[in-house]
Amino acid sequence: MIVSGDDVLAVRLGAELHDVYRERVTLIVPPASPAGGWAGSRGLVRVSALIGRLSSAVARNDPTVREIEAAEPTEDVLRQAGAAEAAALALVHEDDETNIRGALAARRLNPRLRLVIRLYNRKLGQRLADLLDQAAAVALPGPDAAALDVAALDMSTIVLSDADTAAPALAASAVAGTRKVIAADGLLLRAAERPPPGPGEIADPGLCTLALLSATAQDPAGTEGSDRSGAAAPLLLPDDAAVAAATGRGTVVLETIAHTGPPLPPRRLARRGAPLAEVFTVRLRWALAAVAAAVCALAVALWAATDDHPLRAGYLTLLDLFAIGEPAIGEPVARQTIQLVSGLVGLALLPILVAGALQALGTFRGATALRRPPRGLSGHVVLLGLGKIGTRVLAQLRDLDIPVVCVEEDPEARGVPLARRLGVPVVLGDVTQEGVLESAKIERASALLAVTSSDATNLEAALCARSVQPDLRVSLRIYDDDFATAVYRTLRAAHPGALTRSRSVSTLAAPAFAGAMMGRQILGAVPVERRVLLFAALDVAGLPRFAGRTVAEAYRAGAWRIVALDTAEPADRHPDLAAPRPREANADAAGLLWDPHPGYVLRPEDRVVVAATRLGLAELLGRRRGPSL
């Protein structure tokens, strides 16, 4: 396996492949800076203690780990890394163009190479994947090579985004009851935390029980917030006996979700303009009605006084009303009188028409301006940061119909146009300055979600918010795991009644990228404290541990569990269950059957959705040896 990148995701991905899947890994990283780190596109990148194991393996000259220093994955660098003989290559540079150039060069070197590419642009990623798969099919030997199904041969190109992978979990962590979310076959599901049942109560297992939380989850001195294992670590995918025997431990269950929070206020503005009710305001409508009434009354009077045709009388009245008609010199007195009255009425109505037109123009201009938080807003989520991650989180929150107020320092940030198009209120300013969070109505908010790229900024925002509202739910994006553990324990000790969560984007994204390098479709990753459960869509035909066994027999506690069965015919199945259903898709078509019957016998043509630990998925895919079933 080859991993090429210039930030922490590359190292975490390399550690995932080496430690979990036991793969031989070649890491292509930028040259070391004099300060002792990487001089990547985002400057100096730190390597935390969590991923220090990979660096230690390199220092020990571990034959399964190799490191090559290169600024970019050029063809010569990839040839030196062994791309011609490698099974998979992950290009996870922050620059999309660098990843594209590396993918094109790698496909020329090895048409059979499985490519996993990190791209933020979704449309470009899909077109690039189609192009590279077509190039691989044409380059394969044989007369019918161009007609081969590259995806079926497990040599396909998979385009992922760390932002898309982590956004659902980050968004859900700020919402009560929807802390962990995955999307599958157009459905949205959550891994909901539930407290221990009281005396005489029976816990509802939902679709299935995913984990037993650590015994110290409510203890500020516990281990939640770090990846360290120990006696208090959560128990993933427990069997029924373990769930029944657990006392005083909360659970994580899988269930379908629907947002039941406060309703969204009606959108003031449409996507590229304003609704007619706002353009034609009450003032403008009254002005137009007055003009119409005046024209009708004066036209009737002129018609009765001069015996002109009604249309000619109306035409002359409009000319007089707007003072563009000829003076009625030599005309009858009735005609002259009506002309003078028409001019006076026009002078009275003209300012009203101009004011209404200017107000309508202001409404149109307001369609391109950022909204301010309305006065009565409450129960919303304050989203700090509209960068690459914040943009995806904002879209996820709005998909859940959750009220949001954004805080961003840079008016040219990536997510500002999206917020403007969705009509989401935005406060521009430095969150560390006094009054910025207050402008976002933090005192009436339900949660703060800080997802900037600076750990210190996220922490300072959390402290400022807690000083205003001590019981505020806070979710922080924190890169360094040791720092995350210290922050979590301190905040829990200072505010024991408030919910605090810390999330790392690279920690959430690395398992999905690693699973894609194994050649399987990863639907999502669910964090359990600081550990991860993977959801993967797998074909039974490629899994000897599943074919011919019942759902109950295929289940292994602590490793994997079948949570859904795809009931659609193989020809009608969606190739990517993680993608949203097309709008033109038949809503009544067969889809995923959640919690299938334990006695169902799995057939080779079946496709199942599996919840698995990282070690369990590696063993299930045949990448790691384990006890036979």
Side-chain angles (χ1 to χ4, degrees), residues 327-387:
I329 299 176
E331 298 286 341
V333 176
R335 169 74 180 94
Q336 294 177 344
T337 303
I338 294 175
Q339 186 180 55
L340 290 175
V341 173
S342 299
L344 292 175
V345 173
L347 289 176
L349 293 178
L350 184 60
I352 301 177
L353 288 174
V354 172
L358 291 176
Q359 186 172 355
L361 177 61
T363 303
F364 273 111
R365 295 186 63 182
T368 60
L370 293 174
R371 288 188 58 195
R372 299 289 295 177
R375 291 185 178 180
L377 183 64
S378 63
H380 57 285
V381 174
V382 176
L383 175 62
L384 173 59
L386 285 176

Side-chain angles (χ1 to χ4, degrees), residues 127-416:
R127 293 172 181 172
L128 178 65
D130 295 340
L131 174 65
L132 293 174
D133 285 346
Q134 182 180 0
V138 172
L140 290 174
D144 299 327
L148 291 176
D149 187 353
V150 175
L153 294 176
D154 207 14
M155 297 176 294
S156 60
T157 303
I158 302 175
V159 177
L160 297 176
S161 167
D162 56 333
D164 286 334
T165 304
L170 288 170
S173 65
V175 183
T178 57
R179 179 176 168 273
K180 303 152 187 173
V181 176
I182 61 169
D185 199 31
L187 297 176
L188 201 61
L189 302 106
R190 65 175 174 181
E193 286 189 11
R194 294 185 177 173
E201 296 180 354
I202 300 177
D204 181 8
L207 296 177
C208 65
T209 300
L210 297 177
L212 293 173
L213 296 176
S214 64
T216 60
Q218 304 301 322
D219 180 8
T223 59
E224 183 182 8
S226 70
D227 281 328
R228 297 183 178 90
S229 60
L235 180 60
L236 304 182
L237 300 175
D239 54 19
D240 295 338
V243 174
T247 58
R249 298 181 68 172
T251 59
V252 178
V253 299
L254 184 67
E255 58 185 22
T256 58
I257 70 167
H259 176 58
T260 58
L264 275 174
R267 294 187 184 180
R268 290 182 54 204
L269 306 176
R271 287 180 178 268
R272 291 191 177 182
L276 292 178
E278 293 195 7
V279 175
F280 293 97
T281 60
V282 175
R283 179 181 299 177
L284 184 57
R285 289 197 293 268
W286 275 109
L288 293 176
V291 170
V295 170
C296 291
L298 294 172
V300 170
L302 184 60
W303 173 47
T306 61
D307 291 331
D308 284 337
H309 190 277
L311 293 179
R312 176 179 171 79
Y315 174 68
L316 293 176
T317 300
L318 287 174
L319 293 179
D320 295 338
L321 197 66
F322 294 110
I324 58 176
E326 294 183 357
I329 299 176
E331 298 286 341
V333 176
R335 169 74 180 94
Q336 294 177 344
T337 303
I338 294 175
Q339 186 180 55
L340 290 175
V341 173
S342 299
L344 292 175
V345 173
L347 289 176
L349 293 178
L350 184 60
I352 301 177
L353 288 174
V354 172
L358 291 176
Q359 186 172 355
L361 177 61
T363 303
F364 273 111
R365 295 186 63 182
T368 60
L370 293 174
R371 288 188 58 195
R372 299 289 295 177
R375 291 185 178 180
L377 183 64
S378 63
H380 57 285
V381 174
V382 176
L383 175 62
L384 173 59
L386 285 176
K388 183 175 66 172
I389 303 299
T391 302
R392 294 290 194 250
V393 173
L394 172 60
Q396 186 72 42
L397 289 171
R398 290 309 299 258
D399 287 343
L400 294 173
D401 289 334
I402 297 169
V404 186
V405 173
C406 301
V407 179
E408 174 56 53
E409 182 179 7
D410 182 10
E412 303 297 328
R414 188 191 297 263
V416 170

